[in-house]
Amino acid sequence: MLRFLARRSLGALVIILLISAITFTLFFALPSQPALMSCGKNCTPDAIALINKNLGLDDPVPVQYWHYMAGIFAGRDFQVGHCPAPCFGYSFSNQQPVWGTIVDRFPTTLSITLGGAFVFLVVGIGIGMLAAAFRGTWVDKFVSSLSLVGNALQIYFVGVIALAVLVSGLHWMDNPAYHPITENPVKWFTGMLIPWLVLSIIFIANYSRMTRSQMIEQLGEDHVRTARAKGLGRRTVFFRYAWRGAMAPIVTIFGIDLGSLFGGAIITEFTFSLHGLGRLAVSSVSETDLPTLMAVMLVGCTAIVVANIVVDAAYAFIDPRVRFA
């Protein structure tokens, strides 16, 4: 198991380095004058030269990349001052260290993605198993119909409806807002509940259909029929044999959907005016704030890669053949 995780971790490190190198080259090599983006409209050649010197933009691109990556782990000295590790440089828009902004915004995005993932996994897998257990009945048809409807919905549409009905109309829920879980867990939960439900709508539809098809397939396998022939109870056969075999493909699809989940979190942040990494990335694009945008992409990429390692570990736990491959 440790060798399996070591291989996955090494591969993840290579992927992060490649993405960081390609992204850095695209951001800082292709624009003719990145300093001009930091300088603003009323800019002089002397001011551009000073910014290039202060931010290290007058060095060759490979040297800039080396200094950038070294600064993440060991900090970095600029003419404007010392940037402690992890240093992602200074923002072009407010001249402040980028990492402080990332730290402020990341908990919001993390809360949305983790909470939404928990909701759609529990609900989607649960109703998919229910449909498989009652295959061919009205329960199965009802769940399948709901899945088709849910798959056709969009986050921004469901979000507006949820606000109009649950918040403004019935007053059943609080207006979505982020509160740190360490300060008030109850407000954190109630403030994130609507974003979780809205983000999970589409994923619930997909995972319920996948779970149903996988469970039906597993219930027809030889080892499941053998377990029934031995006299094991229906519940034991369903959860101990069929469910575990059906979860392996579901876990694989979940690893692939992590990128889509992060993209859905960005739309959710805009729908409910939540200040997370998604809104920060979009504002960085509009303001041409390359250091901030670079940091958001690296943090998001690292989070997705780390989550995929966790998914791989879960997959290896479910299917022992993976551990010894």
Side-chain angles (χ1 to χ4, degrees):
M1 184 67 172
L2 293 178
R3 293 178 60 186
F4 173 80
L5 292 178
R7 292 197 304 269
R8 289 292 188 270
S9 300
L10 181 60
L13 180 61
V14 173
I15 291 174
I16 293 175
L17 289 176
L18 287 175
I19 292 177
S20 66
I22 294 173
T23 306
F24 189 90
T25 302
L26 290 175
F27 284 175
F28 290 91
L30 293 185
S32 58
Q33 286 185 316
L36 186 60
M37 304 173 186
S38 175
C39 189
K41 295 181 179 179
N42 300 322
C43 197
T44 63
D46 292 338
I48 293 177
L50 182 61
I51 292 174
N52 281 326
K53 182 179 179 181
N54 290 341
L55 299 182
L57 298 176
D58 51 354
D59 295 324
V61 174
V63 176
Q64 292 184 46
Y65 175 71
W66 169 256
H67 289 162
Y68 183 86
M69 296 303 295
I72 295 177
F73 299 98
R76 188 176 176 187
D77 290 320
F78 294 92
Q79 294 293 330
V80 295
H82 177 72
C83 178
C87 176
F88 289 89
Y90 285 85
S91 170
F92 284 174
S93 60
N94 56 24
Q95 306 301 321
Q96 297 296 319
V98 173
W99 180 246
T101 307
I102 297 293
V103 171
D104 291 338
R105 301 292 188 94
F106 185 70
T108 303
T109 302
L110 184 65
S111 297
I112 294 174
T113 52
L114 291 183
F118 178 80
V119 171
F120 76 68
L121 285 175
V122 172
V123 177
I125 293 175
I127 63 178
M129 293 173 61
L130 183 66
F134 295 93
R135 179 184 179 185
T137 65
W138 68 268
V139 175
D140 182 19
K141 296 178 181 178
F142 179 72
V143 170
S144 299
S145 300
L146 284 182
S147 299
L148 292 176
V149 174
N151 198 36
L153 298 176
Q154 297 296 328
I155 292 176
Y156 51 83
F157 173 76
V158 180
V160 173
I161 298 299
L163 288 176
V165 175
L166 300 178
V167 178
S168 301
L170 300 176
H171 303 286
W172 285 357
M173 295 184 180
D174 296 335
N175 197 53
Y178 174 75
H179 302 277
I181 188 174
T182 54
E183 296 179 3
N184 194 324
V186 176
K187 283 190 174 181
W188 170 80
F189 179 81
T190 56
M192 290 284 102
L193 187 56
I194 291 181
W196 290 342
L197 296 176
V198 171
L199 177 60
S200 63
I201 287 293
I202 300 175
F203 292 97
I204 287 175
N206 294 332
Y207 279 78
S208 63
R209 290 188 289 108
M210 287 189 295
T211 302
R212 176 187 177 276
S213 62
Q214 290 296 325
M215 286 296 297
I216 292 175
E217 180 180 346
Q218 288 295 319
L219 289 172
E221 294 289 338
D222 292 338
H223 68 283
V224 175
R225 291 199 298 266
T226 301
R228 288 174 176 171
K230 290 181 178 180
L232 295 178
R234 181 182 178 184
R235 182 175 300 179
T236 302
V237 172
F238 192 84
F239 288 100
R240 185 174 179 180
Y241 292 91
W243 179 80
R244 185 170 184 178
M247 286 303 100
I250 301 299
V251 170
T252 303
I253 298 299
F254 177 68
I256 299 174
D257 283 342
L258 287 175
S260 301
L261 182 63
F262 185 74
I266 294 176
I267 301 176
T268 306
E269 290 173 11
F270 269 91
T271 303
F272 299 109
S273 299
L274 299 172
H275 297 281
L277 291 183
R279 294 196 64 169
L280 179 62
V282 175
S283 64
S284 300
V285 171
S286 62
E287 297 171 0
T288 324
D289 191 351
L290 297 183
T292 302
L293 185 58
M294 175 78 181
V296 171
M297 293 190 65
L298 275 182
V299 171
C301 167
T302 303
I304 292 174
V305 169
V306 171
N308 269 280
I309 294 177
V310 176
V311 170
D312 288 340
Y315 189 83
F317 177 78
I318 294 173
D319 190 350
R321 295 172 297 180
V322 176
R323 298 197 297 265
F324 302 106

